[in-house]
Amino acid sequence: MTTMEGDLTRQSATVLADAMAQGEVSAEEVTRAHLDRISEVDGDVHAFLHVLSDEAVEVARGVDRRRAAGERLGPLAGVPLALKDVLTMSGVPTTCGSRVLEGWRPPYDSTVVERLRAADVVILGKTNMDEFAMGSSTEHSAYGPTRNPWDLERIPGGSGGGSSAAIAAFEAPLAIGTDTGGSIRQPAAVTGTVGVKPTYGGVSRYGLVALASSLDQAGPCARTVMDAALLHAAIAGHDPRDSTSIDAPVPDVVAAARKADIRGVRIGLIKELGGEGYQAGVSQRFDEAVEVLTDLGAEVVEVSCPNFEYALAAYYLILPSEASSNLARFDGMRYGLRVGDDGDRSVEQVMALTREAGFGAEVKRRIMIGTYALSSGYYDAYYGQAQKVRTLITRDFAAAFEQADVLISPTAPTTAFKIGEKVDDPLAMYLNDVATIPVNLAGNAAMSLPVGLAPEDGLPVGMQVIAPAMADDRLYLVGAALERALVDRWGHLLIEEAPDL
Amino acid sequence: MTTTAETMPYAEAIAAFEPVLGLETHVELGTASKMFCSCPTAFGADPNTQVCPVCLGLPGSMPVVNRMGVESTIRMGLALNCSIAEWCRFARKNYFYPDMPKDYQISQYDEPLCFDGWLDVTVETDDGPRAFRVEIERVHMEEDTGKLTHAGGATGRIHGADYSLVDYNRAGIPLIEIVTKPIVGTGELAPLVARAYVTELRDLMRSLGVSDVRMEEGSLRCDVNVSLNRAGDDWGTRSETKNVNSLRSVERAVRSEIERQAAVLSSGGRVIQETRHFHEDTGRSTPGRSKEQAEDYRYFPEPDLVPVAPSREWVEELRGTLPELPSAKRARLRAEWGISDHDFQTLVNGGALELVEATIAEGVDPAAARKWWTGELARIANDREIELADVPVSPGQIKHIQRLIEDGSLTDKLARQVIEGIIAGEGDVDDVVAGRGLAVVSDDSALLAAIDQALVDQPDVAEKIRGGKVQAAGAIVGAVMKATRGQADAAKVRALLFERLGVSE
Ligand SMILES: [Zn+2]
């Protein structure tokens, strides 16, 4: 890459923001460079479902005008961003990767979008995802899979594969993802990028089309820990429109990323998340990273979370139960797809035909599981038991945080698998999230950051760092320290090793 | 089809069976905004103009609890002598229906905000007033649904309609649901107890100011559970009659269901556990869903909302805001007005208490106020089969009319015509008086002219009166009243007549 525009797309958000603030480059140039990159590579990657070409340039020009007028702008002003298609943006199509919402343009902004606009971030478009965020590969999108920029035959993770691929393919320096069981962290791991699931309630869910309300959380995706911190700070904080959002000051994640000093920090290695079932190269790179943490002055101890064993089972009852209710409203009556309304059919028939045609197999599978789990006579055995497991997992975390400031594990058991490899085997697909799910059940904060390439396939491996609720700053402290040490060792960010598209 | 009679006469039914009642009452709270968003709740706006992403259930939107809704529910719970939960959650009630934007309703399930209370009601019997204590199971909060209008088709129901329109203005309006424990031991008084209970609830909510309970706008809806058993037997299978939307209907629904179930049971049949639909026009119900077809609502705690945990301080503060409750107020008013138990109970049962009180507050003499509301206006309500409160005449108008009577501008008879005019929509008191030309002819010269004419027309009668036969005066007075089309005060005519003839009574 020798052109000016190519250079721009390979910069971090921090560098771009700085260059714009210094007047070295305009927001319009930065935006156009990324839009050009999207035209150039997205035919292969398919990270985007909808690109806001004209609108994005318009917003960027506005930023330039205001900067020229002497206005003081925020730290991300003019930086482009890719938005997961599960968050509403007024007047812009929002499909959640589903046919059932095809053509729907929400009349309102999600709080995340409102805050991005307030931060003068330039939204480039909406990114692909597994339908209603159900999946770990983005293969369950009704609009076709997204491909991993490291290897176009492989999955970019899911459900937020569009967002992770967009930043890994240098189509945007920042993206917003949502994480219900790992949908920010697992895509980050398999694309060699950074992804953070904030504390549950840390970022408003208003305008986030719900999959499982008690688990969903929006968060930042980036190529560096500092970029993620800046984005985190821009979107987090209490929102009176989301009753579950926490009314407390946002931990200073940017200061933590800047500090990046982990001397004396106690790091707990979760015994149950590793070893058997984890790819050899994943374990190897993870273990090496643990050594780096020790070298940086952290105190690494082993902790046990015995109830994590039941996390996956509990998750696949709680999530479908909530989803079966959250997705009920897609009935063809008010918006989106409507099938079979021929003037003779009943309301019930039109609802059934719409849902039959509008939802994919994985969505139907989970709606059926959830409907069953909530049915009278089964509720206690399924949903009730799952909630008890949830309590036990929360207690495991509490006990582990007595011994450690943060906990770590590999983010995913394997590197990116081939498209088509697991799509017909739901259980194998669900196992991708075995290490990330406990965090959502307990509502903690967690980050995935790249720790190297697995020797056997040359694909990225991610480490998960977990912090107690409302201690998100610790993720950035540890993540930034580790990232700095690894970049020193490699001479560049891991993503620089991704092949040219 | 059954070959036996479909109903058994009430007296016979009650002689053979003991009824057990249960009432679930839904009332729209009078909050300014909806339960989970800030949309206004005003009735009668154009369809779908009081909506937002939240009450339309748009993807991504989230509910936020209206504190006033919680406060109103707690105050109602306290007035019903309930315990107030220290911690409770909302729950989702899941079912598909086009009037529900989310295809689930946010309600409460096994953790109601208020529970275990009671309400005393009194019914009038041949042996005098009798009190019953109705025990309250729970009081909880939920949101209302939208309103469907079915166009075309014969039934006005969704099946067979050409198309249906939905107005979501009502969606999300706060509802309070009050559920009784089984009401036993009422015997033949069951329909009256049910009516008295709902009346008492309505009065309680009005006095608390949590709802103005506009029944004609459908803001109070009752589901009536009835079962019958023979003396000494276990309770029978109950039916649930839905959509019972007026006080009168509550009474009728209980009565007709007792008559129906008694007929089923006495012919050896079995009562089916089912929901039934009440029809205001016939006063009868038709079967709906049976238990076997009943929906499984798959309740689970609403994950978009945090638990409601009213502090004890707040609850006590709200207890301190409770006004004089209707039962206490009745005791006070009865003492103040000094009327008999029977007369007072007549006022209460006729729904006249508040109206009489308001009329007295306007400055009308208590006896006159009572006379209007239990006499002429009660008759009108009865003729039109409406609640007394729904007769479109206000206490202020009664005061106005009464003042005109007292200063001689109207007679009682003319006053009744004024009321007739107000109800016919001819305007306020003065408009009707002017429009119908109802003012009493009080101009002495006009009356004297009419008297002189009558005396000329009936010289023999005039002679009799002059001769001291004062009882003959009626014929002259009658003629004068006829000549003035009833708009003269007869007593005054009589006095003028005697004066004219120089005789004394
Ligand atoms: Zn609203």
PDB file of all heavy atoms in Angstrom, chain A residues 479-496:
ATOM      1  N   GLY A 479      -4.936  -5.597  29.202  1.00  0.00           N
ATOM      2  CA  GLY A 479      -4.885  -5.749  27.748  1.00  0.00           C
ATOM      3  C   GLY A 479      -3.824  -4.865  27.120  1.00  0.00           C
ATOM      4  O   GLY A 479      -3.051  -5.309  26.256  1.00  0.00           O
ATOM      5  N   ALA A 480      -3.752  -3.606  27.547  1.00  0.00           N
ATOM      6  CA  ALA A 480      -2.787  -2.669  26.952  1.00  0.00           C
ATOM      7  C   ALA A 480      -1.358  -3.077  27.291  1.00  0.00           C
ATOM      8  O   ALA A 480      -0.456  -2.963  26.444  1.00  0.00           O
ATOM      9  CB  ALA A 480      -3.062  -1.244  27.447  1.00  0.00           C
ATOM     10  N   ALA A 481      -1.147  -3.573  28.511  1.00  0.00           N
ATOM     11  CA  ALA A 481       0.202  -4.004  28.896  1.00  0.00           C
ATOM     12  C   ALA A 481       0.656  -5.198  28.049  1.00  0.00           C
ATOM     13  O   ALA A 481       1.782  -5.232  27.529  1.00  0.00           O
ATOM     14  CB  ALA A 481       0.222  -4.363  30.382  1.00  0.00           C
ATOM     15  N   LEU A 482      -0.261  -6.150  27.905  1.00  0.00           N
ATOM     16  CA  LEU A 482       0.086  -7.348  27.129  1.00  0.00           C
ATOM     17  C   LEU A 482       0.297  -6.989  25.658  1.00  0.00           C
ATOM     18  O   LEU A 482       1.256  -7.443  25.016  1.00  0.00           O
ATOM     19  CB  LEU A 482      -1.037  -8.392  27.283  1.00  0.00           C
ATOM     20  CG  LEU A 482      -0.843  -9.722  26.549  1.00  0.00           C
ATOM     21  CD1 LEU A 482       0.449 -10.416  26.999  1.00  0.00           C
ATOM     22  CD2 LEU A 482      -2.036 -10.656  26.780  1.00  0.00           C
ATOM     23  N   GLU A 483      -0.594  -6.157  25.132  1.00  0.00           N
ATOM     24  CA  GLU A 483      -0.485  -5.741  23.725  1.00  0.00           C
ATOM     25  C   GLU A 483       0.850  -5.047  23.469  1.00  0.00           C
ATOM     26  O   GLU A 483       1.550  -5.344  22.486  1.00  0.00           O
ATOM     27  CB  GLU A 483      -1.641  -4.790  23.388  1.00  0.00           C
ATOM     28  CG  GLU A 483      -1.622  -4.248  21.963  1.00  0.00           C
ATOM     29  CD  GLU A 483      -2.693  -3.166  21.775  1.00  0.00           C
ATOM     30  OE1 GLU A 483      -2.570  -2.085  22.410  1.00  0.00           O
ATOM     31  OE2 GLU A 483      -3.632  -3.401  21.019  1.00  0.00           O
ATOM     32  N   ARG A 484       1.231  -4.166  24.378  1.00  0.00           N
ATOM     33  CA  ARG A 484       2.487  -3.431  24.187  1.00  0.00           C
ATOM     34  C   ARG A 484       3.677  -4.407  24.163  1.00  0.00           C
ATOM     35  O   ARG A 484       4.544  -4.311  23.301  1.00  0.00           O
ATOM     36  CB  ARG A 484       2.672  -2.399  25.298  1.00  0.00           C
ATOM     37  CG  ARG A 484       3.901  -1.533  25.104  1.00  0.00           C
ATOM     38  CD  ARG A 484       4.185  -0.679  26.337  1.00  0.00           C
ATOM     39  NE  ARG A 484       3.170   0.352  26.522  1.00  0.00           N
ATOM     40  CZ  ARG A 484       3.033   1.061  27.645  1.00  0.00           C
ATOM     41  NH1 ARG A 484       3.833   0.836  28.695  1.00  0.00           N
ATOM     42  NH2 ARG A 484       2.121   2.000  27.737  1.00  0.00           N
ATOM     43  N   ALA A 485       3.663  -5.364  25.103  1.00  0.00           N
ATOM     44  CA  ALA A 485       4.765  -6.328  25.171  1.00  0.00           C
ATOM     45  C   ALA A 485       4.822  -7.184  23.912  1.00  0.00           C
ATOM     46  O   ALA A 485       5.902  -7.453  23.363  1.00  0.00           O
ATOM     47  CB  ALA A 485       4.607  -7.206  26.405  1.00  0.00           C
ATOM     48  N   LEU A 486       3.654  -7.607  23.424  1.00  0.00           N
ATOM     49  CA  LEU A 486       3.623  -8.463  22.229  1.00  0.00           C
ATOM     50  C   LEU A 486       4.020  -7.673  20.987  1.00  0.00           C
ATOM     51  O   LEU A 486       4.752  -8.181  20.118  1.00  0.00           O
ATOM     52  CB  LEU A 486       2.221  -9.068  22.059  1.00  0.00           C
ATOM     53  CG  LEU A 486       1.821 -10.097  23.131  1.00  0.00           C
ATOM     54  CD1 LEU A 486       0.362 -10.499  22.977  1.00  0.00           C
ATOM     55  CD2 LEU A 486       2.728 -11.342  23.061  1.00  0.00           C
ATOM     56  N   VAL A 487       3.553  -6.439  20.886  1.00  0.00           N
ATOM     57  CA  VAL A 487       3.917  -5.608  19.724  1.00  0.00           C
ATOM     58  C   VAL A 487       5.430  -5.351  19.727  1.00  0.00           C
ATOM     59  O   VAL A 487       6.083  -5.377  18.675  1.00  0.00           O
ATOM     60  CB  VAL A 487       3.101  -4.297  19.707  1.00  0.00           C
ATOM     61  CG1 VAL A 487       3.681  -3.299  18.712  1.00  0.00           C
ATOM     62  CG2 VAL A 487       1.642  -4.591  19.358  1.00  0.00           C
ATOM     63  N   ASP A 488       5.984  -5.144  20.929  1.00  0.00           N
ATOM     64  CA  ASP A 488       7.441  -4.985  21.036  1.00  0.00           C
ATOM     65  C   ASP A 488       8.149  -6.218  20.491  1.00  0.00           C
ATOM     66  O   ASP A 488       9.143  -6.129  19.780  1.00  0.00           O
ATOM     67  CB  ASP A 488       7.857  -4.785  22.503  1.00  0.00           C
ATOM     68  CG  ASP A 488       7.609  -3.344  22.951  1.00  0.00           C
ATOM     69  OD1 ASP A 488       7.277  -2.514  22.069  1.00  0.00           O
ATOM     70  OD2 ASP A 488       7.727  -3.069  24.157  1.00  0.00           O
ATOM     71  N   ARG A 489       7.604  -7.373  20.851  1.00  0.00           N
ATOM     72  CA  ARG A 489       8.220  -8.638  20.428  1.00  0.00           C
ATOM     73  C   ARG A 489       8.089  -8.833  18.923  1.00  0.00           C
ATOM     74  O   ARG A 489       9.031  -9.213  18.247  1.00  0.00           O
ATOM     75  CB  ARG A 489       7.551  -9.781  21.183  1.00  0.00           C
ATOM     76  CG  ARG A 489       8.054 -11.158  20.793  1.00  0.00           C
ATOM     77  CD  ARG A 489       7.394 -12.249  21.603  1.00  0.00           C
ATOM     78  NE  ARG A 489       7.709 -12.146  23.027  1.00  0.00           N
ATOM     79  CZ  ARG A 489       7.344 -13.041  23.940  1.00  0.00           C
ATOM     80  NH1 ARG A 489       6.661 -14.107  23.592  1.00  0.00           N
ATOM     81  NH2 ARG A 489       7.658 -12.891  25.207  1.00  0.00           N
ATOM     82  N   TRP A 490       6.836  -8.562  18.390  1.00  0.00           N
ATOM     83  CA  TRP A 490       6.579  -8.820  16.966  1.00  0.00           C
ATOM     84  C   TRP A 490       7.043  -7.672  16.079  1.00  0.00           C
ATOM     85  O   TRP A 490       7.198  -7.845  14.876  1.00  0.00           O
ATOM     86  CB  TRP A 490       5.082  -9.048  16.725  1.00  0.00           C
ATOM     87  CG  TRP A 490       4.472 -10.198  17.499  1.00  0.00           C
ATOM     88  CD1 TRP A 490       5.102 -11.357  17.854  1.00  0.00           C
ATOM     89  CD2 TRP A 490       3.136 -10.284  18.009  1.00  0.00           C
ATOM     90  NE1 TRP A 490       4.237 -12.168  18.564  1.00  0.00           N
ATOM     91  CE2 TRP A 490       3.015 -11.533  18.671  1.00  0.00           C
ATOM     92  CE3 TRP A 490       2.029  -9.432  17.978  1.00  0.00           C
ATOM     93  CZ2 TRP A 490       1.834 -11.948  19.286  1.00  0.00           C
ATOM     94  CZ3 TRP A 490       0.855  -9.855  18.589  1.00  0.00           C
ATOM     95  CH2 TRP A 490       0.759 -11.105  19.246  1.00  0.00           C
ATOM     96  N   GLY A 491       7.146  -6.497  16.625  1.00  0.00           N
ATOM     97  CA  GLY A 491       7.503  -5.327  15.833  1.00  0.00           C
ATOM     98  C   GLY A 491       6.314  -4.657  15.173  1.00  0.00           C
ATOM     99  O   GLY A 491       6.457  -3.658  14.467  1.00  0.00           O
ATOM    100  N   HIS A 492       5.129  -5.188  15.356  1.00  0.00           N
ATOM    101  CA  HIS A 492       3.923  -4.628  14.761  1.00  0.00           C
ATOM    102  C   HIS A 492       2.715  -5.299  15.400  1.00  0.00           C
ATOM    103  O   HIS A 492       2.846  -6.276  16.147  1.00  0.00           O
ATOM    104  CB  HIS A 492       3.902  -4.873  13.247  1.00  0.00           C
ATOM    105  CG  HIS A 492       4.164  -6.317  12.898  1.00  0.00           C
ATOM    106  ND1 HIS A 492       3.256  -7.314  13.107  1.00  0.00           N
ATOM    107  CD2 HIS A 492       5.283  -6.926  12.400  1.00  0.00           C
ATOM    108  CE1 HIS A 492       3.769  -8.472  12.733  1.00  0.00           C
ATOM    109  NE2 HIS A 492       4.995  -8.266  12.309  1.00  0.00           N
ATOM    110  N   LEU A 493       1.515  -4.777  15.079  1.00  0.00           N
ATOM    111  CA  LEU A 493       0.292  -5.445  15.528  1.00  0.00           C
ATOM    112  C   LEU A 493       0.147  -6.770  14.778  1.00  0.00           C
ATOM    113  O   LEU A 493       0.590  -6.889  13.627  1.00  0.00           O
ATOM    114  CB  LEU A 493      -0.933  -4.570  15.215  1.00  0.00           C
ATOM    115  CG  LEU A 493      -1.134  -3.302  16.046  1.00  0.00           C
ATOM    116  CD1 LEU A 493      -2.233  -2.442  15.420  1.00  0.00           C
ATOM    117  CD2 LEU A 493      -1.501  -3.656  17.494  1.00  0.00           C
ATOM    118  N   LEU A 494      -0.478  -7.717  15.433  1.00  0.00           N
ATOM    119  CA  LEU A 494      -0.660  -9.029  14.788  1.00  0.00           C
ATOM    120  C   LEU A 494      -1.409  -8.894  13.463  1.00  0.00           C
ATOM    121  O   LEU A 494      -1.113  -9.589  12.483  1.00  0.00           O
ATOM    122  CB  LEU A 494      -1.440  -9.967  15.728  1.00  0.00           C
ATOM    123  CG  LEU A 494      -1.510 -11.430  15.263  1.00  0.00           C
ATOM    124  CD1 LEU A 494      -0.142 -12.097  15.344  1.00  0.00           C
ATOM    125  CD2 LEU A 494      -2.533 -12.210  16.093  1.00  0.00           C
ATOM    126  N   ILE A 495      -2.364  -7.982  13.415  1.00  0.00           N
ATOM    127  CA  ILE A 495      -3.211  -7.833  12.229  1.00  0.00           C
ATOM    128  C   ILE A 495      -2.390  -7.471  10.978  1.00  0.00           C
ATOM    129  O   ILE A 495      -2.808  -7.741   9.854  1.00  0.00           O
ATOM    130  CB  ILE A 495      -4.336  -6.797  12.490  1.00  0.00           C
ATOM    131  CG1 ILE A 495      -5.429  -6.832  11.411  1.00  0.00           C
ATOM    132  CG2 ILE A 495      -3.775  -5.385  12.618  1.00  0.00           C
ATOM    133  CD1 ILE A 495      -6.293  -8.054  11.457  1.00  0.00           C
ATOM    134  N   GLU A 496      -1.205  -6.875  11.211  1.00  0.00           N
ATOM    135  CA  GLU A 496      -0.338  -6.532  10.071  1.00  0.00           C
ATOM    136  C   GLU A 496       0.096  -7.778   9.308  1.00  0.00           C
ATOM    137  O   GLU A 496       0.533  -7.703   8.158  1.00  0.00           O
ATOM    138  CB  GLU A 496       0.907  -5.764  10.548  1.00  0.00           C
ATOM    139  CG  GLU A 496       0.611  -4.434  11.220  1.00  0.00           C
ATOM    140  CD  GLU A 496       0.050  -3.391  10.250  1.00  0.00           C
ATOM    141  OE1 GLU A 496       0.253  -3.538   9.032  1.00  0.00           O
ATOM    142  OE2 GLU A 496      -0.623  -2.461  10.728  1.00  0.00           O
TER     143      GLU A 496
END
